[in-house]
Amino acid sequence: KYIKLFEEAQSENRIHTLCEKYEIYDYIINSDKSIDVIGDVNLKNLNLTKLPLNFNKVTGNFNISGNKLKTLEGCPSEIGGYFQCKYNPIRNLDNCPKKVGGGFILEGTELTTLIGCPKVVYGSFYISSPYLTSLEGCPEEITGSFYCCRTAITDFKYCPKKVGDIAILSNDLIENIEDLNIKEVESFHCRQNINLT
């Protein structure tokens, strides 16, 4: 019993130390040793190869851009603000947040699939990866803008059904618009698709 209590205290001390190191001050430690954060989490440009903490919920923004992350393990399941994961060599969206209240930004990744994305993104959705060949897994609804640039996507299959304002697909290899299934959008642009006729 005492050994278990000691181990739990050591584990919590480690979490407190890491939170202080990464300037996370308003948080709750859950029974599974994940943390809920009230406010923003900013872990960008820290040369991280993995997240230092296990996050459960973050009420503000969650920014992990500019690291060396190959996995989203440790990411929160819910984010109240935007989720920003630019310029990380991630290849899949395992452990991706399931609920994002703001924008969802995955620019400059090595993603090969969008499977694992939230079904609804409240805000804009920005994705770019030269290894991405399909929109399968793309959110069904995006309340803001939808940007899909610098990919190897060849068709519109699995495109979101509803986009809040602008949908832009560019630098892709789109060959036709037969699969385009956006039911609601204010403006649609398909730029620099050299195979589109």
Side-chain angles (χ1 to χ4, degrees):
K1 177 182 176 181
Y2 294 110
I3 291 173
K4 185 177 179 182
L5 288 172
F6 176 77
E7 288 174 347
E8 286 180 357
Q10 289 292 94
S11 178
E12 289 198 4
N13 284 338
R14 180 179 174 277
I15 292 170
H16 290 309
T17 300
L18 286 169
C19 285
E20 184 174 353
K21 176 180 178 180
Y22 294 107
E23 300 180 357
I24 300 167
Y25 301 114
D26 199 355
Y27 59 92
I28 297 166
I29 301 175
N30 301 307
S31 60
D32 63 357
K33 300 302 182 263
S34 66
I35 62 171
D36 294 340
V37 180
I38 296 93
D40 298 338
V41 172
N42 186 356
L43 298 174
K44 67 178 181 179
N45 301 326
L46 295 175
N47 213 30
L48 298 174
T49 56
K50 65 178 184 178
L51 292 180
L53 294 152
N54 288 319
F55 296 90
N56 180 46
K57 295 179 182 178
V58 173
T59 64
N61 303 317
F62 190 79
N63 191 340
I64 52 175
S65 297
N67 286 298
K68 296 180 180 178
L69 299 173
K70 293 184 178 180
T71 173
L72 293 177
E73 186 175 358
C75 273
S77 59
E78 293 184 25
I79 298 171
Y82 65 72
F83 173 56
Q84 195 161 327
C85 181
K86 301 193 297 184
Y87 306 111
N88 278 295
I90 59 168
R91 291 200 159 237
N92 63 62
L93 293 175
D94 294 347
N95 302 299
C96 180
K98 299 305 177 194
K99 185 176 181 182
V100 177
F104 191 100
I105 306 165
L106 287 161
E107 178 185 0
T109 67
E110 296 181 9
L111 282 174
T112 59
T113 177
L114 294 181
I115 293 172
C117 273
K119 292 191 181 299
V120 178
V121 168
Y122 299 95
S124 293
F125 181 83
Y126 192 117
I127 186 80
S128 72
S129 167
Y131 305 100
L132 189 64
T133 59
S134 170
L135 288 172
E136 185 177 6
C138 197
E140 295 176 8
E141 181 179 351
I142 298 164
T143 65
S145 300
F146 172 46
Y147 299 94
C148 183
C149 306
R150 296 181 294 282
T151 71
I153 292 169
T154 58
D155 59 52
F156 287 116
K157 194 174 181 183
Y158 306 111
C159 210
K161 293 181 174 62
K162 185 176 180 181
V163 176
D165 42 43
I166 300 170
I168 298 175
L169 283 87
S170 67
N171 296 321
D172 301 297
L173 304 171
I174 304 294
E175 296 178 352
N176 60 67
I177 59 172
E178 292 176 3
D179 296 316
L180 184 60
N181 197 29
I182 300 180
K183 305 297 185 186
E184 294 181 38
V185 64
E186 288 183 12
S187 179
F188 179 80
H189 304 273
C190 190
R191 302 172 180 164
Q192 301 174 14
N193 287 282
I194 57 174
N195 295 331
L196 187 61
T197 56

